[in-house]
Amino acid sequence: RVVVCNAMQPPPGQHGQPSGPYGTPRAPNGFAPGGAPPGGAHERGGAPMMPTHGPPMLVGGPPVGPPGGVAVAGPPRLGAPGGVQGQYRAHPGGHGSGHLPPMHAPNAVAPLNAQMANMGVGGPPGQIHGAAPQYNRGPAGTGASPGPPNAGGPPMGGAPQAGFPQMGTGPPQMGAGPPQMGGGPQMGGFTQMGGPPRMGGPPSQPRPGPAGIVPPPMAGTPRMGAPTGGGPPAGGGPPVLGGGFPTQPGPAMGQTGGPPQAYLAPQQPNSGYPPAPNPLNRYPTPPGHNQGFAGGAPHGGPPPPMGAPMAGAPNGFAGGAPIGGYQAGGPQMGSPGVAPYPGAPTPTHQPGGPYNPLPAQSLSSLPSTSNSPRIDPAQIPRPVHDPHAVVVKHDTRNDRGGANHPPAASTTFCARDLGSANPRYMRCTMSTIPNSGDLCTQSGMPLTLMVQPLALPHPDEAPILVVEHAQGVGPVRCGRCKAYMNAYNRWVDHGRFCCVFCNHTTECPQEYMCNLGPDGRRGDASTRPELHLGSVEYAAPNEYMVRPPMAPALFFVIDVNPVAVQTGATTSACEAIARTLAAIPEQHRTLVGICAFDAAAHFFKFPSNVAGKENETATKTSQTVKHLVVPDVEEPYSPLPTGLAVPLQENMESIKDVLAKIPEMFASGRHGLPCGVAAIKACVEALKPIGGRVVSFIATMPSGGYGAVKGRTAMGGAYSSSQSNTSIEKEPLKHAVPFDKVYCALATEAAEYQVGIDVFVMPNGHCDVASLGHLCRVTGGSLYRYGPVWSTTLDFAQLHNDLRWNVTRPQGMEAVMRVRASTGLNVSEYGGFFCKRTPTDVDLPTVDCDKAISVDLRYEDKLTDGSEAYLQCALLYTTVSGQRRIRVHTLAVPVSSVLGNVFRACDLETQTCSMIRKACGKLLTGNCSLQGAKDASLRTTVDTLYAYRKFCASNNSTGQLILPEGLKVLPLYCLAMHKSDGLRLDASADDRAFWLLKGVSSTSVTAVPSIYPRNFPVHDLPGVATEDGGGGGVTFPPLPTTTWLSAEKLEPHGVYVLEDGSDVFVWVGKETPRDMLQNVFGVTHVDQISAATSVLPRLDNQDSRKINLFVDAIRRQRSRYMKTRVVKRGDPFENAFYKKLIEDRSPSGMSYVEFLCHVHRLIQNKFQ
């Protein structure tokens, strides 16, 4: 029996588009006037603008041609005039503000079928073992069909050119943005999915189930989404492993047939209990089976449909009696035996605030969806769809002075700071924490704080105020623990206060003294931001500086090896830099340097008196710019001690001219081993006196000189054909760590001199992302990777947008961060992208708005029940404008001795983020195996649900699976993480390392969609779209309802949009109506759709306008540019799409139903 406990009512989860203060609507499409949504043609006469909320997204559509037609956009052309404009709202704190509406909604009750019985069996997991662009149609009315590009693509094998020949009516101008190109290159090496691999035959006899139940032999297994005959399934489901479908007949999905078999561990006769406990909480593995599913299922055949009955029990589960009913279990707030914590928020139905418990409900009369007894997949818990229709208003404190439970990170909310920090900046896995370490351990939940100090606020939120004290008077701090002044310190008299963190009494400066009122509050509490707000920023005095604030410095490193030149990576990098220069803020202070590398490092010295003169010619510039070569790549050095980075504003034209000539200059470059790391090392040496950032574009594996990588292959080099998948899974990931210790030494050295390293990987094969990513991880930089193989046609738009956002987003330099906790708590460990040289502080050469740092907390003493614990994050950093600032966030969390209150206040997204970050951190050490990381996450999930079952719902039968309301989809997210690229067996070394490095810096907003994407049906969008996307027509949000991540939910006549925060997949069914294909894609048959379409065509009809408006809306919700890939049957990216359907059984693991059974069995084992 599965019961979802309704101990707390979740917020409605209404999201909405950005609006004015509490409801004033903003622009219809979220873009500035004169702009255009990404992926479409620009308005005539206007340059593309960035969204007014959130990060900038390039408009990747083609430039507007003559009236009545659209120009065909080609690859980037160097030297085109113009620039891309962008904007974000600035606030007094020195940073822009934007809005990143997250993805998933809070969870609600998802009941189970009344026929669901004792969940005692879970089958063993199996092991698992990319496209040309769509070009825009010709002028309206010509009937021109999409075709190949005109002549003039990137050089492939020949000498590169400074620019590409014109295509159509003209090349894309820099002010108009690059063409929208999103489909990644073809991905090879994926075995078609559909059933477990043939890794040994099934057992000769069925294994007995509990109480002597013997599974019947299988006469034929049903195929996922397949008809009874041969051939591909009508719904376009995933192909079968091995290249074809089995010849034996079998029932189609939903029809009666032989039930799928599940491995049942041997038990004592007539015991009625689940199998023996599994001490490691591992997936069960049948004897003699390395992968696949036991019980007679033919290996190589397709898996049974999701939710098919298990063998050995009439209701689909082995052991236990059928459930007679379904009801909400567990204690509720205010119920006998569960006392609310003192100062608990007032129950209300306001979204984002405290919640009332839902009433108990019985679903015993729920009808079965099938005549055959089985678990109904529609009744198991899933995330509730959030339409993002309304902006949720959230107050961090309630009227009684207590803390409010924050809204889910996936909601669109506008927070008001009433003394506790906005949850965008600080969010804990539990908004009410246990009062002791024993109780926290008993709960099974981690106590982790996610800190994102420079997060983008909602446009309607008040900006963080800057406090400037008198000359010589810095921020008021505690004399013992050095905590900053906050709203919770208790004032003893007009000049002394008691620190809330260490209880030490400190006397404040004379200038800060003020009389107290009858209530003990200072008379100026409402006028001093630090005394009534949870987030504040101080202007740092001179004693907080060891040198004057550094100026922004960018040193671009470009790969000019012959392979990079031939693939177009060199030309694309130069063009992306040239188009981005005009968008760099503070150009009069920013320093820029250029370095190229092949088998040696090449620097370019710009004289300070060359640029800035209007009559300066390109010939004169080429004569005055010096080309300096560093041939010693074993011990690289800077050719000049200073002067290689020059002011951008004075040298803009000279820099652009050199960027235009680099592809020609190295067209016939010398062959040799690429020395990418040596070039980065030389640039670090050049930036040591001033600090800054090294922005490197790597297209080839650094196999020569300093930091040379040798002997590492695409699959990590640790796998051999003689090894079984089971042994591979248990092997420590030695290739997830840097190849050589010089990477660690280089990263630490760069961090000491306040130099950050960003890496843009544009590969032509294996590039050893694990080693390159370590440079970004230690220096606080960013890592980007574009497909398994770089394609200028497909990836340039994403490269341009990523680089632009990288240099324009709110960020800081030479930062130091520390987190303090009140008495009884202390910081145990930090996690993320930083350099840690002292036990208490983390050094951040660069810090930006997109990364979070996790802080694990530990108990040092017992806390007082009913009180509050306090956490404070202090970030000392330098703004891009050259101001030294101290940003302070203070968070208050209630303390309770009742475990039920703790479970009511759990934060699902933050706990999922913590689980992902811990798994990624372990694997990146090189001492953990894939199986070990899976076991750890599974153990955490089971321990948490077991604690709730034992201590909060002990009056129910052990045959029930009782899930807390706030964590009812935690098993689903655990399964999704196990099937992610970072933990899959078939992932390449670079794919896995990139996912792990992204995961270790993920936020509560980005963590869930990275493992559990959203899948929207878009073939029947409501409303009417106007030509300009506004004027009373359909708008998004609200977003359409999502579907399960299962091939069963893909209608053969439908069109679906799936997004995971990084990519957008458009899945087209084989039976899609001809009118839909004509209106949306401009074709009459699904086979005419290009396999690598990167941009949805913008056609003049309702269907095309609505789908494009919808895709634009979900793009505006993410902080990264998302490429669009159109997928149909037979496409190279087909498997990449089906891997996202994590609820189906696949060689990478169980189905969701089976995994839920397995989790329940492990919980039952802990009761024995």
Side-chain angles (χ1 to χ4, degrees):
R1 181 176 184 177
V2 176
V3 176
V4 178
C5 177
N6 308 311
M8 179 192 301
Q9 177 183 353
Q14 294 177 328
H15 296 30
Q17 62 183 7
S19 61
Y22 289 156
T24 304
R26 298 177 63 87
N29 60 0
F31 288 82
H42 315 322
E43 290 189 20
R44 287 173 171 81
M49 302 294 291
M50 300 304 117
T52 57
H53 60 285
M57 292 175 294
L58 283 184
V59 181
V64 176
V70 178
V72 180
R77 179 180 183 270
L78 284 174
V84 184
Q85 301 179 10
Q87 63 181 15
Y88 57 83
R89 181 181 303 176
H91 63 75
H95 283 291
S97 67
H99 176 43
L100 299 179
M103 184 188 104
H104 287 293
N107 306 311
V109 181
L112 289 181
N113 194 307
Q115 299 181 8
M116 188 171 185
N118 187 353
M119 305 172 73
V121 173
Q127 288 86 7
I128 279 195
H129 294 325
Q134 174 174 327
Y135 296 89
N136 294 288
R137 299 171 58 83
T142 61
S145 301
N150 296 336
M156 303 291 291
Q161 303 174 8
F164 296 114
Q166 299 183 4
M167 302 178 64
T169 59
Q173 299 299 312
M174 293 171 59
Q180 178 93 359
M181 312 167 199
Q186 298 184 2
M187 301 173 60
F190 291 101
T191 307
Q192 291 185 333
M193 298 164 50
R198 189 182 298 272
M199 294 293 292
S204 58
Q205 296 182 357
R207 299 183 179 274
I213 298 177
V214 179
M218 291 194 60
T221 55
R223 298 186 284 273
M224 290 182 62
T228 55
V240 177
L241 188 71
F245 287 84
T247 56
Q248 69 269 24
M253 179 170 289
Q255 299 181 0
T256 306
Q261 306 302 309
Y263 168 67
L264 306 179
Q267 304 180 29
Q268 296 295 332
N270 303 323
S271 64
Y273 289 95
N278 188 347
L280 295 179
N281 290 352
R282 291 177 179 266
Y283 288 122
T285 303
H289 288 71
N290 291 330
Q291 63 182 33
F293 300 91
H299 296 268
M306 179 178 173
M310 300 287 184
N315 58 1
F317 290 94
I323 296 180
Y326 169 95
Q327 65 182 18
Q332 301 179 0
M333 181 77 76
S335 60
V338 184
Y341 56 84
T346 304
T348 176
H349 290 285
Q350 178 181 354
Y355 314 118
N356 275 332
L358 289 176
Q361 51 184 304
S362 174
L363 301 178
S364 57
S365 60
L366 191 67
S368 174
T369 59
S370 174
N371 295 329
S372 59
R374 66 168 189 169
I375 303 171
D376 185 4
Q379 304 302 320
I380 56 180
R382 287 186 179 85
V384 175
H385 168 64
D386 186 358
H388 292 259
V390 176
V391 178
V392 177
K393 295 179 290 185
H394 170 69
D395 290 341
T396 59
R397 307 282 290 181
N398 56 37
D399 297 337
R400 297 187 301 171
N404 280 338
H405 182 73
S410 58
T411 60
T412 302
F413 64 90
C414 178
R416 185 169 59 167
D417 187 349
L418 296 180
S420 188
N422 189 324
R424 300 184 197 278
Y425 305 121
M426 298 180 72
R427 183 181 287 267
C428 193
T429 53
M430 298 172 281
S431 57
T432 296
I433 65 174
N435 69 328
S436 66
D438 293 338
L439 188 63
C440 185
T441 303
Q442 198 176 69
S443 71
M445 294 185 287
L447 182 56
T448 303
L449 181 70
M450 294 294 169
V451 180
Q452 198 173 355
L454 299 182
L456 287 173
H458 189 275
D460 297 330
E461 291 175 351
I464 296 179
L465 300 180
V466 178
V467 178
E468 295 185 357
H469 291 283
Q471 186 67 25
V473 179
V476 179
R477 306 176 65 179
C478 173
R480 177 190 293 173
C481 68
K482 302 302 179 184
Y484 289 84
M485 178 59 63
N486 57 82
Y488 304 101
N489 287 338
R490 183 176 58 87
W491 287 89
V492 179
D493 53 34
H494 68 286
R496 293 184 302 160
F497 66 92
C498 181
C499 178
V500 74
F501 290 94
C502 65
N503 298 323
H504 176 72
T505 301
T506 303
E507 184 174 354
C508 67
Q510 184 176 0
E511 296 84 357
Y512 203 79
M513 293 182 180
C514 181
N515 293 329
L516 304 182
D519 56 355
R521 298 181 74 244
R522 288 171 55 106
D524 60 351
S526 60
T527 60
R528 290 187 178 272
E530 68 272 19
L531 296 181
H532 70 273
L533 296 178
S535 297
V536 70
E537 193 161 274
Y538 296 96
N542 294 332
E543 55 263 27
Y544 288 82
M545 309 178 192
V546 295
R547 65 177 180 182
M550 58 182 285
L554 299 172
F555 222 114
F556 295 103
V557 181
I558 304 170
D559 193 339
V560 294
N561 284 280
V563 174
V565 173
Q566 293 170 7
T567 59
T570 300
T571 303
S572 299
C574 293
E575 177 67 8
I577 296 171
R579 294 189 181 190
T580 306
L581 290 176
I584 296 177
E586 300 291 329
Q587 296 188 12
H588 63 284
R589 300 182 64 250
T590 302
L591 306 177
V592 173
I594 302 294
C595 173
F597 72 90
D598 44 20
H602 307 264
F603 288 84
F604 298 90
K605 176 65 172 65
F606 300 93
S608 58
N609 60 345
V610 172
K613 299 180 181 180
E614 296 181 358
N615 58 353
E616 197 72 43
T617 62
T619 304
K620 180 69 178 294
T621 301
S622 62
Q623 293 175 354
T624 55
V625 175
K626 297 181 180 179
H627 180 190
L628 309 177
V629 180
V630 179
D632 188 359
V633 295
E634 296 294 338
E635 296 182 1
Y637 54 89
S638 173
L640 294 175
T642 58
L644 291 176
V646 296
L648 173 60
Q649 191 173 41
E650 300 177 6
N651 297 271
M652 177 75 75
E653 296 304 322
S654 298
I655 294 174
K656 286 185 177 181
D657 187 71
V658 169
L659 289 171
K661 294 181 178 299
I662 283 180
E664 297 178 359
M665 187 183 306
F666 296 95
S668 56
R670 56 181 179 179
H671 292 269
L673 298 178
C675 62
V677 179
I680 294 176
K681 166 70 172 175
C683 293
V684 170
E685 296 290 334
L687 289 176
K688 277 185 178 181
I690 58 175
R693 292 163 55 196
V694 177
V695 183
S696 57
F697 299 84
I698 307 295
T700 51
M701 185 172 68
S703 55
Y706 182 87
V709 177
K710 299 178 181 179
R712 299 236 270 196
T713 63
M715 291 302 295
Y719 303 161
S720 64
S721 58
S722 62
Q723 290 179 298
S724 65
N725 283 343
T726 302
S727 62
I728 292 173
E729 190 173 18
K730 296 181 180 180
E731 281 286 328
L733 291 181
K734 300 296 185 183
H735 290 72
V737 297
F739 174 78
D740 197 296
K741 293 182 179 180
V742 299
Y743 286 89
C744 302
L746 173 59
T748 304
E749 181 183 9
E752 290 177 354
Y753 288 91
Q754 306 300 330
V755 177
I757 301 176
D758 299 330
V759 177
F760 292 77
V761 182
M762 309 159 66
N764 189 47
H766 179 64
C767 282
D768 203 341
V769 173
S771 298
L772 296 172
H774 188 77
L775 302 177
C776 307
R777 183 181 181 186
V778 175
T779 61
S782 300
L783 176 66
Y784 305 88
R785 182 171 179 261
Y786 304 94
V789 177
W790 167 261
S791 171
T792 302
T793 307
L794 302 178
D795 297 324
F796 177 79
Q798 186 177 18
L799 171 69
H800 182 193
N801 189 80
D802 288 343
L803 178 60
R804 178 183 173 81
W805 179 239
N806 180 277
V807 300
T808 59
R809 61 188 172 186
Q811 55 192 288
M813 304 170 290
E814 51 181 352
V816 180
M817 194 190 82
R818 176 183 292 189
V819 173
R820 295 176 174 88
S822 57
T823 303
L825 295 174
N826 205 344
V827 175
S828 173
E829 186 180 4
Y830 292 93
F833 277 30
F834 57 82
C835 179
K836 195 167 186 296
R837 292 180 290 173
T838 62
T840 57
D841 300 342
V842 293
D843 296 336
L844 299 160
T846 60
V847 58
D848 58 70
C849 61
D850 293 330
K851 298 186 185 67
I853 294 178
S854 62
V855 184
D856 294 335
L857 303 175
R858 68 170 183 267
Y859 285 84
E860 293 186 338
D861 200 356
K862 192 172 183 179
L863 307 179
T864 303
D865 184 21
S867 63
E868 287 184 330
Y870 303 97
L871 303 167
Q872 186 179 84
C873 166
L875 178 72
L876 173 64
Y877 72 105
T878 301
T879 65
V880 177
S881 59
Q883 298 173 334
R884 197 70 171 155
R885 298 286 180 82
I886 307 170
R887 179 167 289 198
V888 179
H889 301 292
T890 305
L891 178 68
V893 290
V895 178
S896 177
S897 61
V898 180
L899 205 54
N901 296 333
V902 176
F903 274 100
R904 288 187 190 93
C906 57
D907 191 313
L908 174 66
E909 285 88 352
T910 307
Q911 290 205 23
T912 303
C913 180
S914 175
M915 181 171 61
I916 293 175
R917 293 174 70 114
K918 289 182 184 298
C920 295
K922 289 180 179 179
L923 292 173
L924 288 173
T925 62
N927 299 322
C928 182
S929 64
L930 294 178
Q931 184 63 49
K934 293 179 181 179
D935 291 343
S937 60
L938 179 60
R939 187 181 302 111
T940 300
T941 301
V942 171
D943 290 347
T944 301
L945 301 181
Y946 166 76
Y948 184 83
R949 176 65 184 81
K950 180 177 180 180
F951 301 108
C952 300
S954 57
N955 57 340
N956 295 280
S957 169
T958 57
Q960 298 176 339
L961 174 61
I962 299 182
L963 305 172
E965 171 61 27
L967 299 176
K968 66 176 182 291
V969 295
L970 184 62
L972 175 61
Y973 291 163
C974 181
L975 173 66
M977 189 187 75
H978 292 180
K979 293 186 176 183
S980 64
D981 288 339
L983 278 75
R984 298 174 68 96
L985 285 176
D986 63 336
S988 67
D990 278 358
D991 290 339
R992 177 176 291 115
F994 182 64
W995 192 91
L996 295 177
L997 288 165
K998 280 203 314 180
V1000 82
S1001 63
S1002 61
T1003 67
S1004 299
V1005 176
T1006 61
V1008 170
S1010 68
I1011 60 174
Y1012 193 85
R1014 296 183 295 180
N1015 191 29
F1016 299 92
V1018 296
H1019 46 273
D1020 193 18
L1021 292 175
V1024 177
T1026 58
E1027 293 184 4
D1028 58 355
V1034 63
T1035 58
F1036 300 100
L1039 303 179
T1041 305
T1042 57
T1043 65
W1044 312 341
L1045 294 184
S1046 171
E1048 180 183 355
K1049 304 302 293 182
L1050 300 178
E1051 299 291 341
H1053 61 274
V1055 178
Y1056 296 83
V1057 171
L1058 182 145
E1059 68 90 16
D1060 61 358
S1062 299
D1063 296 295
V1064 174
F1065 293 90
V1066 180
W1067 186 87
V1068 184
K1070 292 189 64 176
E1071 300 177 9
T1072 303
R1074 180 173 180 175
D1075 292 343
M1076 187 71 173
L1077 293 174
Q1078 181 69 42
N1079 291 339
V1080 177
F1081 303 102
V1083 298
T1084 58
H1085 193 274
V1086 67
D1087 292 337
Q1088 297 176 359
I1089 296 177
S1090 173
T1093 300
S1094 58
V1095 179
L1096 287 172
R1098 294 183 179 270
L1099 307 178
D1100 189 14
N1101 59 74
Q1102 285 294 313
D1103 291 334
S1104 177
R1105 282 197 290 265
K1106 286 192 295 185
I1107 290 183
N1108 278 282
L1109 283 174
F1110 170 72
V1111 173
D1112 295 342
I1114 62 175
R1115 274 177 166 160
R1116 285 194 295 266
Q1117 295 182 348
R1118 300 303 179 199
S1119 63
R1120 286 200 63 189
Y1121 177 87
M1122 295 193 298
K1123 296 185 296 187
T1124 303
R1125 299 175 178 176
V1126 177
V1127 181
K1128 59 183 178 60
R1129 167 64 80 182
D1131 279 358
F1133 287 107
E1134 186 181 28
N1135 282 329
F1137 172 79
Y1138 287 121
K1139 285 195 301 183
K1140 306 291 184 181
L1141 306 181
I1142 59 96
E1143 294 192 28
D1144 290 334
R1145 182 197 294 183
S1146 68
S1148 63
M1150 308 176 187
S1151 69
Y1152 178 29
V1153 172
E1154 295 167 337
F1155 186 77
L1156 204 59
C1157 299
H1158 180 57
V1159 169
H1160 185 219
R1161 185 187 65 184
L1162 295 176
I1163 295 174
Q1164 288 180 312
N1165 291 345
K1166 295 176 73 69
F1167 279 99
Q1168 298 179 3

